[in-house]
Structures are given as C-alpha cells and as structure tokens.
C-alpha cells in the first residue's frame, strides 16, 4: 500500500454508488457510475462526472473502474502479539482452561514472540490494509513479562506506517492490573502516547472488583485518557462490574463518552427485565457531545497530529452521537454501540445457536456454563 504525497490530485475512473434499481419495493441492483475525485489534504473536495472537464494542472491517478467505499476500521485487535507471519500453529484445545491458565501460558509465549513482534505487527497491518481497513484500535500488553517492550515494538511498527495507517493504542494489563501489579507500568505507558487505559476481568483476575476498576479509572483520570476494558465475566461478577462502571461514569463527568466495554459477555445472561433496566440507565441512553477521539493525546509532531485528525474528522458525527458508555462486542466490533442498539441487533440472533463465537457464548450462558476462555483471548 502506498500513500499519495500530491495534494491536490485527481483520482479518475473511480466507480461510485449512485442509488438502487428497484422492481417495485425490491432492490434488484446497485446503480454506479464513474467519476474523477478531486482530493485535497486527504479529503474529497469535488466530484467530476466521467467525461466532464477536469481542473487543469493536477496530477491524475487512475482507479481503473474500481469501486470506492468508505474505509473499514478494526476497532478491537491485538497487533502486538500474533502468530501471524510465523510458522503455522494448530489451535490447541482449551477446554477446562481458566483465564489464569492462559496467563501462565502467555508468560511462556511472550518472550518467544517479542523478538519478531515488530515484523509481525507490520504483517498484520498489511493484512488489514489488503482487506480495506486503514484505521484500528489496538490493545497492547502491559505486563510484568514484556514490561513496556510490547508497546515499544508496536510503536515502531506504527511509526513505519504513519502515512498509511491510523491506530489508537489501548494499554492493556493482560495479566491483571492488580494481580500482576502493573499500575506503575501502566502509568509509564500513559506517557508513551497511548490513547486508552485498558482493563481486564476485575473479579476473576484481580479478585477485587471495585478496587480494580477504581485503579483503572484513576489512571485514566490522572492521564486524561479514555477507558476500553475487556470484560469476559458473566454473572454475577460481570453484571456487577458493568453496574459499577456505569455508576462511576455517571458521577464522573471527565469519563463521560470515553468508556468502552469490550465483549461484555455479561449482557448475554441478563433476563429481559434486567436488560431493559440496564439499557434504561442514563449512561447507555444519554448522548454526549465530546471531542474527537484521542484529541487529548500528546502529538508526536504537529503534522502527524493534523494528518490523524483529518482522517478521523469524518467520524465526528458519530463521536457526537455516542453514548456515555459504549459497548463493543465481537459480533458488532466495528463501532461502539449504545446498549439499546447493541441489544436490538443481538435480538435478531436466532435462538438456536448456529455458528460464531457470540452464539456459542449465549448458548453456554443459557446452560449455566462459563464461555470458554479461548473465545475471550483477544
Ligand atoms: Zn482483546
């Protein structure tokens, strides 16, 4: 993937969608046509229909009739630790393994992965780009084994792609914020240009729900960052954690609109009445006008910051319309959804599990089993 340095320039022979062909009420085809896009500072400044006169003197690149679509964003990925790019490794059965078993396994794996983690992160970025994703939010391990090395390596990989890939970083205490005693490392990470404070199962891993969540929020408040927590717990721990986080956000103005709960398996075990009650909490339904994501982060340099903001500007409408606490589940990983929106989509999942992690989790939850950890390990 290459970034065009010219500005302005023309991107000619681009196919754009114009509308639909209908047979009565049924859409039977998409209407498209070719255009030349006039691009200024990374934004579409004008559309010129094929055959019309083009502004003189601008460099022209040709898309050869390819369809232009909005970029895709991978909003939950771990670029810092991946087997991708290395020798094939068959998945191993994880039945009966607890999250503590997985942490112990990772303590062995991390030293093996670190020497090649920059190259592997770059490989994963190239894979994302090849499928159309140019924006991501990556969690990054902050743990006693790798220290800040995972973050340092991720930053090297991202620096090499600062022209063609935009990525927010979540400092992620994968081995438990309290359990692995990484409060100090997390605070150091905040000074290294991360955008969000991560968290992990405050009861099952840290063994102290309120203390763990308070510590996570305090780091965020001290650094002026947002929060994006991995919550794999179901009931009662996960439900209690969600309630506690909502309580905290509702009474802490600085956190409003800046908290994302990733996975949130607990929602799958609530009764319809409990779901309705949770969905009715103001944090999930109030709208909050807040700044561009990451606007408070320290820019590495003004030009890079300006580029990043230009790329994210198109998202502003969505940022303004975000709930105080957003949910991100694998099934709907592309964006933070309000609880009502998330639930309305979940409601369309067939009652009989067919395929996919999320459906299996729901089935497991219904049968009173904890979802397998393997599904949460990301
Ligand atoms: Zn994850």
């Amino acid at each position: 993937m290459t970034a065009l340095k010219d500005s302005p320039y023309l991107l000619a022979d681009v196919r754009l969608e114009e509308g639909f062909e209908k047979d009565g009420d049924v859409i039977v085809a998409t209407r498209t046509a070719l255009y030349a896009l006039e691009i200024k500072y990374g934004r579409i400044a004008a559309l010129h229909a094929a055959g019309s006169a083009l502004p003189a003197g601008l460099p022209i690149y040709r898309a050869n009739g390819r369809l232009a679509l909005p970029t895709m964003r991978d909003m939950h990925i771990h670029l810092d630790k991946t087997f991708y790019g290395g020798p094939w490794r068959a998945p191993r059965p994880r039945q009966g393994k607890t999250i503590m078993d997985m942490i112990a396994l990772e303590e062995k794996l991390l030293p093996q992965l670190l020497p090649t983690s920059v190259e592997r992160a770059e490989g994963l970025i190239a894979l994302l780009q090849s499928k159309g994703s140019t924006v991501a939010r990556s969690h990054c391990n902050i743990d006693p084994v790798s220290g800040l090395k995972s973050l340092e390596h991720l930053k090297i990989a991202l620096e090499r792609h600062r022209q063609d890939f935009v990525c927010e970083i979540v400092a992620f205490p994968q081995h438990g914020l309290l359990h692995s005693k990484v409060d100090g490392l997390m605070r150091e990470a905040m000074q290294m240009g991360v955008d969000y404070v991560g968290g992990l199962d405050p009861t099952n891993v840290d063994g102290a729900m309120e203390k763990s969540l308070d510590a996570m929020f305090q780091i965020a408040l001290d650094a002026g960052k947002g929060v994006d927590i991995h919550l794999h717990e179901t009931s009662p721990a996960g439900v209690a954690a969600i309630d506690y986080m909502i309580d905290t956000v509702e009474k802490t103005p600085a956190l409003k609109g800046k908290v994302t709960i990733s996975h949130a398996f607990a929602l799958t075990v609530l009764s319809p009445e409990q779901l309705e009650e949770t969905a009715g909490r103001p944090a999930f339904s109030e709208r909050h006008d807040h700044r561009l994501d990451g606007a408070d982060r320290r820019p590495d340099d003004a030009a890079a910051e300006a580029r990043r903001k230009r790329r994210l500007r198109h998202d502003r409408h969505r940022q303004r319309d975000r709930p105080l606490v957003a949910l991100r589940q694998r099934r709907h990983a592309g964006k933070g959804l309000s609880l009502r929106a998330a639930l309305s989509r979940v409601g369309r999942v067939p009652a009989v599990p067919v395929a996919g992690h999320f459906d299996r989790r729901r089935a497991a939850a219904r049968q009173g089993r904890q979802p397998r950890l393997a599904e949460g390990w990301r």
Side-chain angles (χ1 to χ4, degrees):
M1 179 162 170
T2 53
L4 298 179
K5 292 192 170 55
D6 299 307
S7 185
Y9 64 89
L10 291 166
L11 195 56
D13 302 331
V14 178
R15 187 169 302 281
L16 297 181
E17 293 183 352
E18 290 189 316
F20 298 116
E21 309 275 350
K22 286 190 173 180
D23 182 1
D25 290 338
V26 180
I27 295 170
V28 292
T30 305
R31 234 180 22 246
T32 67
L34 295 177
Y35 286 85
L37 277 53
E38 191 176 330
I39 312 286
K40 273 187 189 162
Y41 305 115
R43 303 187 73 184
I44 299 170
L47 291 180
H48 305 282
S52 62
L54 297 176
L58 299 187
I60 299 182
Y61 298 88
R62 298 202 176 274
N64 300 321
R66 290 194 181 97
L67 181 68
L69 295 168
T71 190
M72 284 181 275
R73 315 192 311 164
D74 190 321
M75 297 308 286
H76 190 114
I77 192 165
H78 294 249
L79 292 171
D80 62 313
K81 49 176 184 184
T82 174
F83 293 138
Y84 183 72
W88 166 251
R89 300 176 67 127
R92 298 183 182 189
R94 287 171 173 170
Q95 252 136 354
K97 294 273 200 306
T98 68
I99 195 160
M100 290 308 183
D101 296 328
M102 295 304 293
I103 289 172
L105 175 63
E106 203 183 78
E107 285 171 347
K108 287 188 201 149
L109 285 175
L110 282 170
Q112 298 168 26
L113 291 175
L114 272 176
T116 54
S117 64
V118 174
E119 291 71 25
R120 291 191 185 198
E122 284 195 89
L124 210 43
I125 290 168
L127 180 66
L128 287 171
Q129 290 175 329
S130 74
K131 309 297 179 193
S133 294
T134 59
V135 178
R137 179 182 293 184
S138 180
H139 292 254
C140 179
N141 260 49
I142 305 292
D143 62 73
V145 178
S146 62
L148 296 169
K149 282 274 175 256
S150 293
L151 179 56
E152 288 168 12
H153 290 192
L154 176 59
K155 285 183 69 71
I156 292 170
L158 292 177
E159 178 62 30
R160 292 179 185 170
H161 290 272
R162 63 188 309 160
Q163 297 291 336
D164 56 42
F165 194 71
V166 178
C167 187
E168 300 169 323
I169 301 175
V170 184
F172 176 40
Q174 171 79 79
H175 300 183
L177 177 57
L178 305 182
H179 176 73
S180 66
K181 302 184 177 64
V182 289
D183 194 286
L185 277 177
M186 289 286 287
R187 288 174 183 277
E188 282 185 61
M190 293 300 116
Q191 305 304 315
M192 293 170 63
V194 308
D195 303 279
Y196 290 87
V197 179
L200 174 70
D201 301 346
T203 301
N204 288 356
V205 176
D206 276 355
M209 186 269 279
E210 295 188 6
K211 194 174 168 198
S212 173
L213 294 178
D214 285 347
M216 173 188 74
F217 282 129
Q218 195 58 53
I219 296 170
L221 289 168
D222 291 347
K225 308 289 184 187
V227 163
D228 190 340
I229 182 175
H230 282 69
L231 191 64
H232 313 104
E233 296 166 351
T234 53
S235 184
V239 175
I242 288 176
D243 279 339
Y244 189 79
M245 286 190 275
I246 296 173
D247 289 342
T248 304
V249 171
E250 284 179 351
K251 64 188 180 196
T252 315
L255 291 171
K256 289 183 177 178
K258 296 171 81 174
V259 175
T260 298
I261 303 174
S262 284
H263 310 325
F265 298 168
L267 296 176
T268 65
V269 300
L270 296 181
S271 68
E273 296 74 27
Q274 288 170 315
L275 274 178
E276 192 53 40
E277 190 186 323
T278 305
R281 299 280 307 260
F284 280 123
S285 47
E286 270 181 29
R287 296 294 168 172
H288 178 60
D289 187 0
H290 93 119
R291 288 179 298 169
L292 190 66
D293 256 1
D296 51 355
R297 121 182 155 160
R298 281 197 315 183
D300 292 325
D301 68 59
E305 188 65 5
R307 269 197 305 276
R308 198 177 68 82
K309 283 187 178 172
R310 275 201 301 275
R311 286 172 185 222
L312 289 174
R313 196 167 290 141
H314 71 278
D315 285 342
R316 263 193 171 146
H317 66 282
R318 182 151 66 209
Q319 306 300 348
R320 282 201 196 99
D321 195 32
R322 244 166 48 159
L324 302 187
V325 176
L327 293 170
R328 180 164 293 121
Q329 294 184 317
R330 184 166 177 78
R331 191 177 175 82
H332 308 299
K335 51 189 171 182
L337 292 168
S338 75
L339 183 60
R340 280 185 192 282
L343 293 179
S344 72
R345 295 195 190 183
V346 170
R348 287 185 221 138
V349 176
V352 179
V354 280
H357 297 299
F358 189 79
D359 302 56
R360 285 206 298 277
R361 276 188 211 115
R362 296 181 92 214
R366 285 200 176 119
Q367 291 159 25
R369 287 188 287 113
Q370 186 77 5
R372 286 192 301 130
L373 180 71
E375 294 156 3
W377 204 251
R378 53 184 171 245

